Amino acid sequence: MSTILKVEDINVYYGSIHAIKGISFSVNEGEIVTLIGANGAGKSTTLNTISGLLRSTTGSITFMDENLARVPPHKIVAKGLALVPEGRRVFLQMTVQENLEMGAFTQSNAGIPKDLEMVYELFPRLRERRRQVSGTLSGGEQQMLAMGRALMSHPKLLMLDEPSMGLAPILVEQIFDIIRNLHKAGSTILLVEQNAQAALSIADRAYVLETGKITVSGTGKELLASPEIKKAYLGG
């Protein structure tokens, strides 16, 4: 199994605040890897650094054997690394279909109809709402749209930042079913999620972040069964 993403010894600061403290981890092709941790542990900061929106002062981030140190964010997307950001960040004044088309900015126009069809197959609700202005969608529909928009760029690695945040339990279940289906279809996924139970139950491997450091790692099953993890994150 080849390594698609390798993060080595990254340190990230917000002014004088040391947000990420020398973390290292990897994602192999075909895996779901999850980062779990409390609010403020550095999970979103890690994804934003991989995406090029923030920069590390040390170490390296290697994607598909290429160092991303000097690659601007839009070129990182073109290389096949897509982020579904926390809070969805859809273009609220645009229709569903216009949002999806924005996700295809790295692709040739010829392939867009086929890609739209692929997204509508995955998310039938978006097909029904394709002419609707995105700001009028429910939270769950906006999350589906944010995921669909990322898929339009044909990512080799899909990064999901808190996909279940603010959603009703039935919608959380739906979103995790979609993540499972994407994985079955061959997607490699790096998942950041506060719902540790749901994340660990679908993850091949997992890392626990605490105040900017990785404190525990293992398979999803190992962490689900760990008394310490149960006590800290699973309400056990």
Side-chain angles (χ1 to χ4, degrees):
M1 200 184 286
S2 63
T3 300
I4 196 168
L5 177 74
K6 194 167 193 179
V7 174
E8 293 185 282
D9 187 33
I10 63 168
N11 284 271
V12 182
Y13 292 81
Y14 292 109
S16 61
I17 297 164
H18 195 176
I20 298 294
K21 301 165 184 167
I23 70 169
S24 300
F25 68 92
S26 63
V27 180
N28 297 319
E29 203 169 342
E31 282 188 314
I32 296 180
V33 172
T34 188
L35 305 179
I36 64 167
N39 232 339
K43 305 184 302 296
S44 294
T45 301
T46 301
L47 292 195
N48 286 334
T49 306
I50 295 166
S51 300
L53 301 169
L54 296 168
R55 294 292 175 188
S56 172
T57 55
T58 61
S60 63
I61 297 167
T62 310
F63 177 62
M64 308 279 292
D65 298 324
E66 183 180 350
N67 190 327
L68 298 181
R70 302 193 185 283
V71 183
H74 67 284
K75 291 207 170 148
I76 290 176
V77 176
K79 288 177 188 301
L81 204 162
L83 171 65
V84 178
E86 183 183 351
R88 331 215 214 280
R89 309 273 180 90
V90 298
F91 301 109
L92 298 175
Q93 308 304 320
M94 290 183 174
T95 65
V96 165
Q97 185 144 321
E98 285 167 345
N99 265 274
L100 293 174
E101 287 165 351
M102 289 294 283
F105 78 94
T106 59
Q107 304 300 308
S108 79
N109 289 342
I112 289 176
K114 190 178 169 194
D115 293 340
L116 283 169
E117 193 52 40
M118 173 266 295
V119 170
Y120 290 147
E121 288 279 318
L122 261 175
F123 304 99
R125 186 79 56 83
L126 297 184
R127 188 195 298 276
E128 292 165 23
R129 306 265 193 278
R130 64 188 182 276
R131 293 192 179 86
Q132 198 166 316
V133 173
S134 301
T136 63
L137 299 177
S138 70
E141 289 164 348
Q142 286 189 9
Q143 184 61 53
M144 291 174 195
L145 178 55
M147 290 168 74
R149 181 179 62 188
L151 290 170
M152 291 290 289
S153 70
H154 289 242
K156 294 181 179 76
L157 174 62
L158 180 64
M159 300 197 298
L160 301 169
D161 193 355
E162 303 283 10
S164 78
M165 187 184 272
L167 300 183
I170 191 159
L171 284 172
V172 172
E173 224 169 276
Q174 260 182 23
I175 292 295
F176 274 89
D177 281 344
I178 289 162
I179 295 169
R180 272 192 203 92
N181 290 338
L182 287 172
H183 182 232
K184 274 184 201 154
S187 291
T188 305
I189 295 166
L190 176 57
L191 170 67
V192 153
E193 182 54 69
Q194 265 190 299
N195 185 335
Q197 177 86 42
L200 292 174
S201 68
I202 65 167
D204 296 297
R205 292 188 302 112
Y207 297 87
V208 178
L209 265 177
E210 285 178 29
T211 58
K213 290 181 182 171
I214 289 173
T215 55
V216 183
S217 65
T219 67
K221 281 181 182 159
E222 284 167 353
L223 268 61
L224 266 179
S226 155
E228 291 83 7
I229 300 299
K230 276 184 182 169
K231 191 176 172 190
Y233 300 104
L234 307 175

